[in-house]
Amino acid sequence: MQQALFGRSASLAQQAAAALDGPLASRSAAALQRLERSMSSVNIPPPECMLRPLEVPLRYLFGPGPSNVPPRVLAAASRSIIGHLHPEMYEIMNDIKKGIQYAFQTDNNMTIAMSASGHAAMECAVFNVVEPGESVLITVNGIWGERVAEIAERIGANVHRLVKAPGGYYTNKEIEQAIEKHKPVLFFLAHGESSAGLCHPVDGIGDICRKHNCLFLVDTVASLGAAPIFMDKQKIDILYTGSQKALNAPPGTAPISFNEIACNKMFNRKTKPVSYLFDMRHLSNYWGCDGKPTRQYHHTGPVSGFFALRESLAILAEKGLEESWRKHKEVSTYFYKGIEDLGLKLFIPDKDLRLPSVTTISIPEGYEWREMLTYIMKNHQMEMTGGLGPSIGMLMRIGLMGYNCEKTNADKALHALADALKNCKKSKA
Ligand code: PMP
């Protein structure tokens, strides 16, 4: 009934516009539309904001993500939609799988992209391999370990935290001792702890986990493409990332890969995972990883998001991982020097432990960090951010990743910081 009324309104307005010419026509059509709307059967009128065009400002996204997206990736996302179960879409998903295998440096067949952000990959990993009551060990040296701990607690796991101050790192000996003590089925580490700006060493940890029959789960949301990671060589059992950081796709998809040891655990569990949407039994079929001849409908994947992800993985493949790592190292080293020249202090003292994609700066004494960030946004249209979780009030974060990873952008960020230092009044003496 309502639809019929709207249909009639539209055609009346169109008829009026067609019958008259020029500005008179559009004014009459608008008046008619208003009149017809007032006579409509709906109680809630169309909101005024929806009658205005979409406005999106241009910003330098120099925070910890999302990062600016190259025009080529934006163009891919604006291609016509095809069905999520069309053979061409399966081909595109197969390409994405190969692109992720390259980016992760893995041969794992069980390699897919989640139809949601990095948190979905975190939940997918934990939901599928951990059963209620099982022991898990999680490093918490920033926000991301705490998030994974909370996810594991929600499904009734027996969670053990290895807590350090933001930016703290763990020796392999400490990790092995904790694994011996808690006998976890899963050990979690953030490779790129973006809330602190730490890039944690990974070598040797996979061997420790294998020795103790424990799965090794690594978060590379903030580090993939910016710092080397070798899933197979480093014996990582489950690895995930996000689309919106150094990969430079829009937010909303999240690559994840499971090796055979992880598959063995998740496909031989006694209970069903709590989430239907994130159940790898279904997702493995949707992504053609389960060896079955047909793929069944499970959910409607984000078609445009997958186009964009494919394009961003194609750019990484064309450029090459080594070149991407080299560029991030070069630009971040250049940036560190500029920061120190401004008299600012880098939050992670050891340069080898700094995350090349997200640089953290200790809050300069006497300054109010929120005021500096607001000033930079207002005067330079540039996003930089404060800390997150336990690092709030300790530091500011500046991300130069993927498409944004250029010395010219480092100069822009340094110029904005220098301007803020000059103009943001000191709140303390
Ligand atoms: N892990 C890390 C290291 C991150 O930096 C982020 C995002 N900032 C996430 C996980 C969560 O990703 P998302 O916001 O895409 O859900």
Side-chain angles (χ1 to χ4, degrees), residues 149-168:
E150 176 164 356
I151 290 166
E153 271 169 358
R154 282 173 184 233
I155 59 158
N158 184 11
V159 175
H160 304 281
R161 291 169 172 80
L162 216 49
V163 183
K164 296 230 175 192

Side-chain angles (χ1 to χ4, degrees), residues 208-284:
I208 297 169
C209 289
R210 289 268 158 101
K211 185 170 141 202
H212 296 279
N213 201 19
C214 163
L215 294 173
F216 185 25
L217 167 64
V218 178
D219 176 324
T220 64
V221 173
S223 57
L224 190 89
I229 195 87
F230 301 91
M231 183 172 190
D232 290 356
K233 255 198 267 170
Q234 290 172 319
K235 301 195 174 79
I236 298 167
D237 299 301
I238 311 163
L239 187 75
Y240 64 82
T241 193
S243 55
Q244 76 273 27
K245 310 247 177 178
L247 270 183
N248 285 143
T253 57
I256 185 165
S257 179
F258 298 80
N259 70 6
E260 276 187 23
I261 308 174
C263 288
N264 198 31
K265 169 96 172 72
M266 73 181 168
F267 294 138
N268 287 300
R269 48 186 296 150
K270 293 176 213 87
T271 56
K272 280 187 180 178
V274 287
S275 168
Y276 184 88
L277 184 60
F278 295 167
D279 187 334
M280 278 305 293
R281 270 192 193 283
H282 298 303
L283 290 174
S284 63

